[in-house]
Amino acid sequence: MASSATSNIEGPPSTGDNPHRYDAGARIPSVDQHGDNPVTIRLSDEELQTGQTHPETVQQLLTYFHRDGFVVLENAIPDDLIDSLYTQMVSDNDIYLSKPFLQYNQGHLTKNISQIPPLTPKHLHRDFYANPHMLRVLENLLGPCPEIRFINSNVALPHADSRGRQAVHSDVNHRYPSIPFGIVVNTYLQDSDAANGVTEVWCGTHAAYDQDWQQVGRETGWIRKEAIQHRGRVRPPVQPRVRRGAMCIRDLRLWHAGMPNLSDRHRIMLAVDYFAAWYECPMKVRLPLSLKRRVEREWAISTKGIEWVDGEVDYLNQPFYLNMTQDPEMYIRQTEHGFEDWRARATGKYPFDRAKVTEQNYWTPDGQE
């Protein structure tokens, strides 16, 4: 067959309201997307209402996740669900702040805490934790039957000090695979940008550098100043504008940092972790046994990482607990003495998350080092 004189030739029109265009045999996606660092991809109202993600939407989400380690999925959750959960969590926050085990992430100045969202029938909605559009992305990244292993949230309290930022860090400081093995989905419960502390993200850092070179040490996921400055010249960090209800799909290896909320309202984002089945993460999520049948019927996700408990889950009295490793003994948990890690269990001292954030821990543009 003779080759075409041009590669930009449209193929036969497809049926339906959204005909495809082709270039040299490849489909050119017609997807509502904006931004470049990172990219936001907005579901059509039809996709939201039917729960069916167009193949070209999945293609674009995967394309930019692999490139950036971070992509934003918009219009995946109805606004009324978002607003209801936000209202409940602001109310819960007044109670949670009085807990004796409360610890601020990277120091009190950040006014940044981890707070478990309501684990109740009203608010444990599939669209937050097993959103069908989000799961189609995860299944293509992590393989079949991704496991939900962590349900929490990150709350940036209002009226923070402008200096109260976190160090640039990765969520994983243990030795990890060089392929995607775990993904966190952060769902913002209100419109967010730099003014109210949207997270600073470093697109492309999930696979850009050797782990031993980039991180300060195995005791922390903080990134070395040399690596920060190098990457800042290649692709500087951003605080993207994110609409409420947007699901930010992030590789756990990606660099990021919590930023101060200068507004007068809580900035809340869910933090839900999913792992590949082959990774065998030992962490468990505790959910009410009364929801077991509904979850198994509606969520269409592996429940291997769920521990079913009788009665209600007293979620506001659950201290923070985390273990993203493959070793059951490498967990971190919140106590009245501080965050307990393996060093605290060995020595009785609690050094985890005690370091002070300085200019050595974030990007300073050239000439301002």
Side-chain angles (χ1 to χ4, degrees):
M1 181 190 303
S3 61
S4 170
T6 175
S7 63
N8 190 23
I9 297 178
E10 295 189 7
S14 63
T15 60
D17 297 329
N18 187 25
H20 298 307
R21 184 169 65 86
Y22 299 94
D23 184 357
R27 180 176 57 211
I28 307 302
S30 175
V31 174
D32 183 359
Q33 66 184 60
H34 57 88
D36 182 61
N37 186 34
V39 171
T40 294
I41 295 175
R42 181 177 177 83
L43 293 175
S44 67
D45 289 341
E46 177 201 0
E47 288 173 297
L48 172 63
Q49 292 161 9
T50 64
Q52 298 299 312
T53 324
H54 294 156
E56 56 186 11
T57 302
V58 177
Q59 176 178 324
Q60 291 303 89
L61 286 162
L62 294 173
T63 294
Y64 291 108
F65 181 90
H66 281 297
R67 187 192 75 173
D68 296 340
F70 186 95
V71 69
V72 182
L73 175 61
E74 197 172 81
N75 198 34
I77 305 174
D79 287 348
D80 60 332
L81 293 179
I82 294 293
D83 297 341
S84 175
L85 182 57
Y86 179 82
T87 299
Q88 181 63 56
M89 292 195 66
V90 170
S91 177
D92 286 346
N93 184 254
D94 291 336
I95 302 170
Y96 193 71
L97 289 177
S98 67
K99 299 300 177 182
F101 53 73
L102 178 72
Q103 303 285 329
Y104 288 87
N105 298 318
Q106 298 192 19
H108 185 274
L109 192 63
T110 65
K111 297 191 73 173
N112 185 298
I113 64 171
S114 297
Q115 175 182 321
I116 297 177
L119 304 179
T120 61
K122 178 180 179 180
H123 294 294
L124 274 172
H125 198 281
R126 180 200 68 167
D127 281 0
F128 291 116
Y129 303 107
N131 187 285
H133 308 286
M134 176 268 293
L135 283 182
R136 288 190 183 95
V137 179
L138 264 55
E139 288 166 349
N140 280 280
L141 294 170
L142 299 176
C145 302
E147 299 171 354
I148 185 170
R149 291 277 180 175
F150 180 79
I151 294 178
N152 212 294
S153 78
N154 180 273
V155 180
L157 300 175
H159 305 298
D161 191 302
S162 61
R163 300 167 297 170
R165 62 159 295 144
Q166 290 185 348
V168 179
H169 66 282
S170 166
D171 282 342
V172 285
N173 57 302
H174 61 278
R175 189 169 295 282
Y176 51 70
S178 59
I179 57 175
F181 64 92
I183 290 170
V184 58
V185 177
N186 291 133
T187 301
Y188 281 83
L189 303 188
Q190 65 293 301
D191 294 343
S192 296
D193 55 24
N196 67 345
V198 75
T199 303
E200 175 185 277
V201 294
W202 290 71
C203 289
T205 54
H206 61 302
Y209 302 102
D210 176 79
Q211 182 186 6
D212 290 332
W213 180 77
Q214 67 178 294
Q215 294 188 346
V216 173
R218 283 292 158 81
E219 291 76 22
T220 175
W222 290 18
I223 306 300
R224 294 172 58 236
K225 180 70 170 182
E226 181 182 356
I228 292 171
Q229 292 303 108
H230 179 272
R231 186 63 184 181
R233 288 188 288 270
V234 174
R235 196 173 181 188
V238 292
Q239 285 185 267
R241 184 181 298 273
V242 179
R243 189 190 185 280
R244 83 182 191 279
M247 309 185 84
C248 299
I249 303 171
R250 170 168 61 83
D251 192 303
L252 287 175
R253 299 170 293 169
L254 193 81
W255 303 359
H256 62 286
M259 301 297 283
N261 176 8
L262 307 179
S263 78
D264 59 0
R265 298 183 67 214
H266 296 69
R267 191 239 62 204
I268 303 175
M269 67 178 188
L270 297 181
V272 186
D273 291 355
Y274 305 83
F275 291 86
W278 54 261
Y279 185 73
E280 297 187 318
C281 175
M283 192 162 46
K284 292 277 190 177
V285 172
R286 301 177 78 242
L287 295 182
L289 180 62
S290 61
L291 294 178
K292 186 173 187 289
R293 290 183 62 186
R294 192 183 92 184
V295 167
E296 291 177 341
R297 183 178 66 251
E298 297 179 5
W299 284 24
I301 191 172
S302 171
T303 59
K304 187 177 181 180
I306 298 176
E307 177 186 348
W308 302 105
V309 298
D310 286 323
E312 297 181 356
V313 175
D314 190 4
Y315 61 92
L316 290 179
N317 279 311
Q318 287 191 53
F320 182 83
Y321 182 95
L322 186 69
N323 187 356
M324 296 184 182
T325 78
Q326 294 171 298
D327 182 349
E329 302 303 317
M330 289 293 287
Y331 62 87
I332 297 168
R333 65 182 173 188
Q334 203 173 23
T335 75
E336 295 182 33
H337 305 292
F339 288 102
E340 175 195 304
D341 64 0
W342 63 271
R343 293 169 297 171
R345 291 189 285 277
T347 67
K349 299 179 180 180
Y350 292 77
F352 184 82
D353 211 38
R354 299 285 193 183
K356 183 179 180 180
V357 178
T358 72
E359 285 194 357
Q360 290 302 304
N361 308 120
Y362 55 84
W363 182 51
T364 50
D366 290 342
Q368 300 179 31
E369 296 183 41

